[in-house]
């Protein structure tokens, strides 16, 4: 069965091709069968493959499909690789992907047949790209998937391309991603030059055999790879595209911008951890970017009123945690957070979708409220996922976030790579972020589901629970948000007995960087209690601010007292405006100059001038063309004699 | 139109007809010596290395006589006859040359004496003389037909064509000038027959000639050549009274679409047969 | 005795000059083609003469090729003349100036 | 004897060449050129190129000039419309250039006059055939393509559109 690994990306691709080759003229039923069916089949294949793989004890299975590039000493195969890391990714990507496909049946059913088919074609294509990314056995194959998900992201964000802000958001996502991809490409070239191969196994073997030889190249390659990851995973300073990407349909936000694609950056860093772990600088950079982003995005999330924007900044923030973990050497911990996050963030987004669906497309939380009674299933699933995200035990997020914070603290206390103080500062940021997370998430919950409905009588009348195809995915994902955390119960919680199945499973490919002086058990328990307390404090504050008769009074007072700060946060620290002023507009001016100044005047002018002179020359020379054959003969003979004379004399 | 050309035309015809004969070997001298010189082969110009080429080159000049006659007579019938003749001659010369090439390949020489020598003395199956006609029957047929056309004989006498053009290119000629044309035509007939004999029917050789030498060989070879020549001259006359004249388009079609492919086929066949060793 | 090479070359030069004059001075298309043929033949003669001077047969092979090319050229040239004559009832090349500016 | 033949042939060739270029009657032009080409064929024979001599007659006299004659007659032997030269400059320059070409040839001769021929050379059909099918095989085959192209071209040009 493992030989059939190629089916995993091939099935969604086939689905996409079938849908696109039908020129998007299938009816809804046919589209559903093809679009969802292909992913269902993929899920079946993946489950079979994983069931078989479970007995292999972390063995690395590489499946060479065909030789792709062969140029001199450079050989790149189109090869798929199944190892614990890709197995984990494979499992939740396919599962969450399938659930979201099912959810989309209900969510998109109001679209026209064409748009419906287009949507599922793109979703299938996205699944193909994501699975290729996950399964790629070398950087180049990974890069195909990388670009593929970027393309699909662009297509799906701009799905409602007739609305200008959607199209612009798609372009923005594409362009910002391009910056990261550029770094990634450079990293691939550099790796190819240094290692002579881009194969993960080959590079890891080369590094293991002679680390000193590659010492100089490791840091730049790692940093360039990280540039790519920053772009794809929406970290500072390239995070700006992700909030705008909420312009796409909600299932897309759930699938791409929460569960799968944005985690590709984390996945890639963990995938190439054999490079990162050799470069303390790069590790610190990864951790710093992640930690700062985690805090920074959380603060922005506090002041957002669009329910999807809140979730988007939450995603950015959580991705920051993942990078923080990776940067602290807890690669397995990072992936664990990716794993749990996929469930509860997908659940949150789908819940948000359900809310939006219920409110007839309204996304502003200020016009919601009191929805808990109207759409109870959505409310309860949303609440479960929120608790998971906030890190309340025993929900999934608690285990993964606690693992991360514990590892970061350990790295700081154990003076990892000599950057102990830095890691401690990042730990503080992380804890503060956890507090803010609980705060903004429960703000969203209270604003949306509690209090009075603020959306007007008309909208209230339309409130309704979503169809089963949307409810059941919510239930499954909510259940997942509760249980998946148990896969990676931390050492401290079980009082030192190693029950962390997740980390053990990943140990072969992404071993955690252990620090010399691990914190004592008591310290760890203190940390656990601290993080839970912080989350609880966040929830309590949110309840005080946004619940009950005094709701909104306190935040309004704060906003009035420090208007500058509030405005800055509400306007996302003016980052977009700053980019607009420093990058976009100068570039626009440059482009305008290239067009008007260089292209029109210099290049076109040169061409026109040469054409003009040719015309003049032709006007003059045509007097030679008498139209008389004998005259031509005379000229030819004269010329021949002149040539002969020149040769002879 | 131009009296000089008008007079020149029959002269050209006769001259060319006479010139072609000089390369044809018409008998074997063997070891006879006359006035101290060894007689050897009976041929007018034995040293002309280009032999057959000469034949073709000079033979192709015969058209000038007809064309000039047709044009200088200042007569529409004449002009038409001349035009027809020039096109016809050019067309059939191609097939004729290709047919001759087959013989040349088999003989490996341009010299007609060599061509004849290759055909004499040996037999297939003890009875069939090794004349070129046997392996190259297609070439032979093509050559004979083409030669009929080259000599402007019926059924290809479109240049004269009494029923359409009165008498074609020589309608305005009379007395000795007319006689010159007729003479050249008959001389061409003789030359053509001699060529057929030389190229395809063993020339002056005859079965059993190995037993003779000296004067008897000379006499018998002349006799052999004469008999074969007479047969083909008879054939010319026989055909003239047996077949009607072709229409002009039929003539052209036969030349280009019939004889030319056949001659090419013959050439290919000779090449293959020689490569495979079926003929020497 | 053998004739010196120079004699042939001079003959070739004279013939070439005559042919060139014909091409340049005559107005009939046929005459121009004839002049071209004469020039070609003069060049051929010089080629063969020089070939003998240097003891090489290659010159004769070249002449053979020139003849073949000349045959092709004449076929096309005469076809052109016939086509032109059909069009304007004349082969006066001075009247062929429709391609003039 | 060779020298005597050469001078005779050269004289005939030059005179007929002049006639071929200068005579008003196109038929005379063609026939004169036949004579010139004949004299060139004899010159070839004198130079030892016997195959070329035969080929010269066969190809030029036997085919090319017959074609000329054929066309001349087909077009009704058109004489030049008027004797006058419409382009005086053309006439002067043409004559001057032709004279210059002849003089140039003579100048070349002056350079080689002293040298004796490398030796007798017999351009037999066999010798040329070996070269044509050996060293020059490609050119030889290419000529066949050229001839075919010319054939098709001529056909296309002359064929009347229906």
């Amino acid at each position: 069965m493992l030989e059939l690994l190629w089916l995993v990306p091939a099935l969604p691709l086939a689905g996409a091709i079938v849908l696109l080759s039908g020129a998007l003229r299938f009816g809804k039923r046919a589209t559903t069968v093809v679009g969802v069916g292909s992913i269902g089949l993929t899920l079946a294949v993946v489950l079979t493959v994983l069931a078989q793989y479970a007995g292999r004890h972390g063995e690395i299975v590489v499946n060479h499909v065909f030789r792709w590039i062969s140029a001199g000493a450079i050989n790149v195969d189109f090869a798929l690789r199944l190892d614990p890391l890709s197995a984990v990714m494979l499992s939740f990507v396919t599962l969450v992907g399938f659930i979201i496909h099912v959810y989309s049946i209900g969510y998109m059913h109001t679209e026209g047949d064409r748009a419906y088919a287009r949507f599922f074609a793109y979703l299938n294509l996205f699944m193909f790209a994501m699975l290729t990314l996950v399964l790629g056995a070398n950087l180049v194959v990974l890069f195909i998937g990388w670009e593929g998900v970027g393309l699909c992201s662009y297509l799906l964000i701009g799905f409602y391309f007739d609305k200008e802000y959607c199209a612009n958001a798609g372009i923005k996502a594409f362009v910002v991603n391009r910056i990261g991809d550029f770094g990634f490409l450079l990293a691939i070239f550099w790796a190819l030059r240094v290692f002579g191969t881009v194969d993960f196994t080959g590079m890891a073997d080369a590094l293991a055999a002679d680390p000193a030889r590659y010492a100089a190249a490791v840091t730049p390659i790692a940093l360039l790879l990280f540039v790519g990851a920053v772009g794809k995973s929406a970290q500072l300073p390239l995070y700006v595209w992700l909030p705008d990407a909420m312009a796409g349909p909600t299932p897309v936000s759930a699938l791409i911008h929460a569960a799968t694609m944005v985690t590709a950056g984390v996945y890639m860093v963990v995938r190439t951890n054999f490079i990162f772990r050799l470069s303390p600088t790069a590790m610190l950079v990864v951790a710093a970017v992640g930690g700062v982003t985690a805090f920074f995005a959380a603060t922005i999330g506090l002041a957002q009123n669009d329910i999807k924007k809140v979730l988007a900044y939450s995603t950015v923030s959580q991705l920051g945690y993942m990078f923080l973990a990776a940067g602290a050497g807890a690669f397995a911990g990072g992936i664990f957070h990716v794993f749990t996050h996929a469930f509860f963030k997908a659940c949150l987004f789908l819940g948000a979708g359900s809310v939006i669906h219920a409110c007839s497309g309204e996304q502003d939380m200020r016009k919601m409220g009191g929805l808990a009674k109207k759409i109870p299933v959505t409310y309860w699933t949303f609440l479960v996922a929120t608790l998971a995200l906030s890190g309340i035990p025993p929900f999934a997020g608690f285990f993964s976030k606690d693992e991360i914070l514990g590892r970061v603290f350990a790295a700081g206390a154990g003076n990892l790579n000599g950057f102990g103080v830095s890691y401690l500062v990042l730990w503080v940021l992380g804890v503060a972020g956890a507090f803010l997370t609980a705060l903004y998430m429960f703000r969203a919950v209270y604003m949306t589901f509690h209090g009075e409905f603020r959306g007007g009588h008309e909208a209230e009348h339309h409130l309704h629970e979503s169809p089963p195809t949307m409810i059941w995915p919510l239930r499954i994902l909510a259940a997942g948000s509760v249980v998946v955390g148990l896969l990676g119960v931390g050492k401290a919680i079980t009082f030192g007995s190693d029950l962390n199945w997740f980390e053990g499973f990943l140990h072969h490919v992404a071993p955690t960087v252990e620090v010399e002086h691990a914190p004592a058990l008591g310290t760890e328990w203190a940390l656990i209690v601290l993080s839970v307390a912080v989350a609880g404090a966040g929830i309590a504050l949110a309840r005080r601010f946004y619940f009950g008769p005094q709701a909104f009074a306190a935040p309004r007072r704060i906003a009035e007292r420090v208007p500058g700060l509030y405005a800055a946060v509400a306007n996302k620290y003016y980052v977009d405006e700053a980019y607009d002023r420093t990058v976009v507009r100068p570039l626009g001016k440059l482009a305008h100059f290239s067009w008007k100044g260089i292209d029109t005047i210099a290049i076109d002018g040169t061409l026109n001038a040469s054409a003009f002179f040719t015309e003049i020359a032709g006007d003059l020379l045509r007097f030679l063309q008498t139209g008389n054959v004998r005259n031509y003969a005379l000229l030819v003979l004269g010329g021949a004699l002149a040539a002969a004379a020149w040769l002879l004399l | 139109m131009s009296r000089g050309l008008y007079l020149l035309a029959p002269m050209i015809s006769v001259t060319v007809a006479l010139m072609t004969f000089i390369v044809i070997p018409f008998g074997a001298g063997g070891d006879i010596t006359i006035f101290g010189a060894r007689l050897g082969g009976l041929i007018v110009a034995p040293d002309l290395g280009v032999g057959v080429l000469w034949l073709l080159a000079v033979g192709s000049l015969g058209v000038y006589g007809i064309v000039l006659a047709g044009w200088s007579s200042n007569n529409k019938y004449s002009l038409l006859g001349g035009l027809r003749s020039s096109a016809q001659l050019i067309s059939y010369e191609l097939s004729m040359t290709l047919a001759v090439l087959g013989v040349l390949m088999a003989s490996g020489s341009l010299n007609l004496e060599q061509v004849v020598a290759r055909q004499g003395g040996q037999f297939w199956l003890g009875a069939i003389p090794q004349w070129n006609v046997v392996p190259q029957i297609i070439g032979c047929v093509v050559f004979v037909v083409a030669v009929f056309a080259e000599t402007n004989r019926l059924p290809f006498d479109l240049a004269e064509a009494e029923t359409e053009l009165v008498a074609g290119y020589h309608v305005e000629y009379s007395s000795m000038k007319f006689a010159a044309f007729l003479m050249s035509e008959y001389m061409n007939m003789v030359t053509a027959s001699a060529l057929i004999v030389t190229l395809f029917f063993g020339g002056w050789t005859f079965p059993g000639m190995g037993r003779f030498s000296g004067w008897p060989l000379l006499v018998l070879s002349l006799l052999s050549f004469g008999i074969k020549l007479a047969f083909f001259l008879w054939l010319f006359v026989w055909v003239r009274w047996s077949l009607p004249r072709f229409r002009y388009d039929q003539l052209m079609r036969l030349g280009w679409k019939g004889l030319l492919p056949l001659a090419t086929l013959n050439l290919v066949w000779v090449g293959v047969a020689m490569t495979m060793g079926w003929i020497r | 005795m053998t004739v010196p090479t120079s004699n042939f070359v001079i003959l070739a030069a004279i013939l070439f000059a005559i042919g060139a004059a014909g091409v340049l001075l005559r107005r009939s298309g046929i005459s121009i083609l004839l002049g071209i043929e004469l020039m070609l033949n003069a060049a051929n003669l010089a080629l063969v003469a020089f070939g003998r001077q240097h003891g090489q047969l290659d010159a004769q092979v070249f002449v053979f090729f020139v003849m073949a090319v000349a045959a092709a050229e004449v076929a096309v040239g005469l076809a052109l003349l016939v086509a032109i004559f059909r069009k304007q009832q004349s082969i006066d090349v001075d009247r062929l100036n429709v391609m003039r500016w | 004897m060779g020298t005597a033949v050469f001078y005779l042939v050269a004289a005939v060739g030059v005179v007929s060449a002049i006639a071929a270029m200068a005579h008003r009657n196109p038929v005379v032009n063609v026939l004169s050129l036949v004579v010139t080409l004949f004299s060139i064929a004899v010159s070839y024979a004198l130079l030892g190129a016997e195959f070329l001599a035969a080929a010269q007659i066969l190809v030029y006299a036997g085919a090319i000039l017959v074609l000329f004659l054929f066309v001349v007659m087909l077009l009704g032997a058109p004489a030049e419309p008027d004797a006058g030269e419409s382009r005086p400059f053309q006439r002067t320059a043409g004559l001057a250039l032709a004279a210059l070409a002849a003089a140039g040839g003579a100048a070349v001769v002056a350079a080689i006059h002293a040298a004796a021929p490398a030796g007798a050379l017999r351009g037999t059909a066999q010798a040329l055939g070996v070269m044509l099918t050996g060293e020059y095989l490609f050119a030889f085959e290419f000529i066949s393509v050229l001839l075919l192209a010319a054939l098709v071209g001529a056909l296309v040009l002359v064929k009347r559109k229906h």
Side-chain angles (χ1 to χ4, degrees), chain B residues 1-2 5 8 19 47 49-50 53-54 56-58 60-61 63-64 67-68 71 79 82-84 86-87 90 93 110, chain D residues 25 27-28 30-31 34 38 50-51 54-55 57-58 60-63 65-67 69-70 72-74 76-77 122 125:
Chain B
M1 208 174 206
S2 162
L5 293 178
L8 190 61
M19 273 165 77
D47 288 337
V50 291
L53 278 183
W54 169 266
L56 297 173
V58 176
S60 64
L61 294 179
V63 65
Y64 282 104
V67 170
L68 281 183
W71 185 73
L79 185 63
L83 271 177
R84 282 180 174 190
S86 59
I90 289 181
E93 200 170 288
L110 285 175
Chain D
N25 187 334
V27 179
V28 175
V30 176
L31 287 175
V34 173
F38 239 103
E50 52 188 59
F51 174 78
I57 298 173
L58 188 61
Y60 272 110
L65 288 177
V66 174
L67 210 58
L69 213 51
F70 184 80
V72 166
M73 291 185 178
L74 196 68
R122 279 201 80 189

Side-chain angles (χ1 to χ4, degrees), chain B residues 163-174:
Chain B
T163 45
E164 313 161 28
L165 301 177
V166 189
Y169 63 93
H170 53 57
V171 69
E172 296 287 350
Y173 281 91
S174 59

Side-chain angles (χ1 to χ4, degrees), chain B residues 102-109 113-124 128-136 198-200 202 205 269-280:
Chain B
V103 174
L104 295 185
M105 277 170 69
S107 309
S109 170
E113 280 190 289
Q114 298 284 331
V115 175
V116 171
R118 278 296 175 102
Q119 300 182 73
Q122 284 159 314
F123 299 90
W124 280 299
I128 309 166
Q130 287 197 351
W131 293 346
N132 284 329
V133 67
V134 179
Q136 302 191 32
T198 308
L199 291 173
F200 289 100
T205 63
W269 151 247
V270 173
V272 170
M274 286 184 72
T275 313
M276 305 301 286
W278 296 331
I279 52 181
R280 295 158 296 164

Side-chain angles (χ1 to χ4, degrees), chain D residues 88-144:
Chain D
F89 171 74
Q90 176 84 23
R91 166 159 291 186
T92 324
L95 278 176
L97 278 183
L100 204 61
V108 174
V109 169
I112 60 163
H113 188 70
L121 202 63
R122 279 201 80 189
T124 60
Q126 191 181 14
L128 285 191
V130 167
M131 293 188 82
L132 278 178
T133 52
E135 202 177 341
Y136 293 98
L137 183 61
F138 179 74
F140 186 61
E141 294 294 336
F142 198 76
I143 281 290
S144 65

Side-chain angles (χ1 to χ4, degrees), chain A residues 626 628 630-635 637-638 641 648, chain D residues 85-87 89-90 93-94 97-98 100-101 108:
Chain A
T626 55
N628 188 318
R630 297 186 300 145
N631 218 319
Y632 298 158
L634 190 69
L635 289 175
L637 184 63
L641 284 178
L648 288 174
Chain D
E85 170 61 67
S86 55
R87 297 166 177 274
F89 171 74
Q90 176 84 23
L97 278 183
L100 204 61
V108 174

